[in-house]
């Protein structure tokens, strides 16, 4: 008889395929439940956030394109302006002008200055729960930043090339994307649990398992469960007959 090493687990891809196929309804149900949960969570438990962006052009109108020095200086100044936009004097002035009940740290967490690659454009973006206020914040930042930057750098004011816009739909959360992610996650989790439970189940279920684990060939199969079921049905019939006979005797 061959010795079987129980530390080794043989994975039969064909068996796993049929296992997944037999439990497909559970997997799909798990995906639907997770997708529904993600959709409900995104719709009712996450506060929508709206985005608005304004853009400043660093070089002044008097700058000529023939001046390479001015263009290079403009590129360097853009990086400096990104830091100045989040400076305390600028942020504090914006809060006072709009009459907001915010701290410096709260306002800094709302705005994000950025510089599109290979440009002299300074973009200021605000992410806030109120779309109207998000637009007002970036517009005020553009005005205050241009004035403060001109005073601090002793240069011309940057030109506002694009004012903020008010979004009609929130930029986050992305409900559709969250539903898809939730559904896929539910399918993978259910499949993983089913496969794991199958691999951990070392009970012998059929003749193939006997040959695989014990190295013994089965000669015949005895339908014990089927026979037991038949005997159980026959016992039930006999019990009903005895009960009926007793009732007839009592009636006599």
């Amino acid at each position: 008889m061959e010795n079987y090493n129980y530390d080794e687990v043989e994975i039969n891809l064909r068996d796993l395929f049929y296992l997944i196929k037999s439990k497909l309804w559970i997997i799909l149900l798990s995906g639907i439940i997770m997708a529904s949960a993600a959709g409900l969570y995104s719709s009712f438990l996450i506060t929508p956030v709206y985005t608005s962006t304004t853009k400043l052009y660093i070089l002044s109108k008097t700058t000529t394109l023939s001046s390479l020095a001015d263009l290079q200086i403009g590129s360097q100044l853009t990086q400096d302006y990104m830091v100045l936009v989040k400076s305390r004097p600028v942020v504090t002035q914006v809060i006072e002008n709009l009459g907001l009940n915010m701290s410096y740290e709260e306002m800094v967490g709302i705005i994000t200055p950025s510089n599109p690659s290979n440009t002299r454009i300074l973009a200021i973006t605000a992410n806030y729960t109120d779309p109207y206020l998000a637009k007002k914040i970036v517009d005020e930042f553009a005005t205050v930043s241009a004035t403060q930057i001109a005073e601090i750098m002793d240069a011309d004011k940057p030109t506002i090339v694009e004012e903020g816009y008010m979004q009609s739909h929130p930029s986050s959360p992305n409900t559709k994307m969250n539903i898809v992610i939730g559904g896929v996650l539910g399918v993978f989790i259910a499949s993983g649990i089913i496969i794991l439970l199958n691999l951990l189940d070392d009970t012998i279920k059929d003749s193939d398992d006997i040959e695989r684990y014990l190295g013994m060939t089965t000669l015949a199969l005895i339908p014990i469960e089927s026979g037991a079921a038949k005997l159980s049905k026959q016992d039930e019939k006999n019990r009903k007959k005895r009960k009926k006979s007793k009732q007839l005797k009592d009636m006599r």
Side-chain angles (χ1 to χ4, degrees):
M1 181 184 298
E2 296 180 1
N3 293 326
Y4 178 77
N5 187 0
Y6 288 94
D7 294 333
E8 296 180 359
V9 178
E10 181 181 353
I11 300 177
N12 191 319
L13 296 180
R14 183 180 178 182
D15 291 344
L16 289 181
F17 171 78
Y18 285 112
L19 174 66
I20 294 296
K21 185 178 180 181
S22 65
K23 304 294 184 181
L24 187 60
W25 69 275
I26 297 178
I27 296 173
L28 294 178
L29 182 61
S30 300
I32 293 173
I33 292 174
M34 287 290 291
S36 301
L40 293 174
Y41 181 79
S42 300
S43 300
F44 299 104
L45 297 179
I46 299 180
T47 303
V49 175
Y50 297 84
T51 301
S52 186
T53 301
T54 186
K55 295 179 181 179
L56 302 177
Y57 187 60
I58 299 305
L59 297 183
S60 65
K61 296 180 180 178
T62 58
T63 302
T64 61
L65 293 178
S66 59
S67 177
L68 294 178
D70 286 341
L71 293 177
Q72 293 174 352
I73 291 173
S75 299
Q76 295 296 325
L77 288 178
T78 303
Q79 303 299 319
D80 296 338
Y81 291 172
M82 289 175 61
V83 177
L84 291 175
V85 165
K86 301 182 75 171
S87 64
R88 190 172 291 273
V90 173
V91 175
T92 303
Q93 187 64 47
V94 171
I95 294 175
E96 292 178 358
N97 292 349
L98 296 178
L100 300 176
N101 185 21
M102 286 187 185
S103 64
Y104 167 79
E105 290 76 14
E106 290 174 335
M107 180 60 77
V108 169
I110 292 173
I111 63 166
T112 304
S114 60
N115 173 220
S117 180
N118 299 321
T119 68
R120 283 158 294 279
I121 299 293
L122 175 63
I124 303 174
T125 302
N127 295 293
Y128 199 62
T129 55
D130 186 340
Y132 175 75
L133 193 54
K135 169 181 166 49
K136 292 287 291 182
I137 289 174
V138 293
D139 288 342
E140 193 64 29
F141 259 102
T143 302
V144 174
S145 297
T147 302
Q148 291 281 358
I149 287 171
E151 293 179 359
I152 294 173
M153 304 297 293
D154 192 20
D156 295 333
K157 283 186 178 182
T159 303
I160 300 175
V161 296
E162 182 180 327
E163 293 184 349
Y165 56 90
M166 188 168 63
Q167 278 190 327
S168 57
H169 300 286
S171 55
S172 68
N174 191 335
T175 303
K176 293 182 179 179
M177 180 62 68
N178 290 345
I179 289 175
V180 173
I181 294 175
V184 173
L185 188 62
V187 168
F188 275 103
I189 291 176
S191 301
I193 293 175
I194 290 172
I195 293 175
L196 180 62
L197 291 177
N198 180 73
L199 294 177
L200 295 177
D201 185 6
D202 58 356
T203 58
I204 296 177
K205 304 179 182 64
D206 52 28
S207 59
D208 292 336
D209 290 342
I210 294 176
E211 294 180 7
R212 183 183 301 117
Y213 298 137
L214 303 179
M216 301 173 62
T217 303
T218 55
L219 301 178
L221 297 176
I222 301 175
I224 297 176
E225 293 184 359
S226 177
K230 290 181 179 180
L231 290 175
S232 178
K233 291 180 180 180
Q234 186 64 37
D235 290 340
E236 181 67 20
K237 289 181 180 180
N238 293 335
R239 189 182 64 82
K240 289 181 178 180
K241 287 181 179 180
R242 289 194 298 269
K243 185 177 180 181
K244 189 174 181 180
S245 300
K246 184 178 179 182
Q247 289 176 351
L248 290 174
K249 289 180 180 179
D250 292 340
M251 289 176 63
R252 293 175 183 175

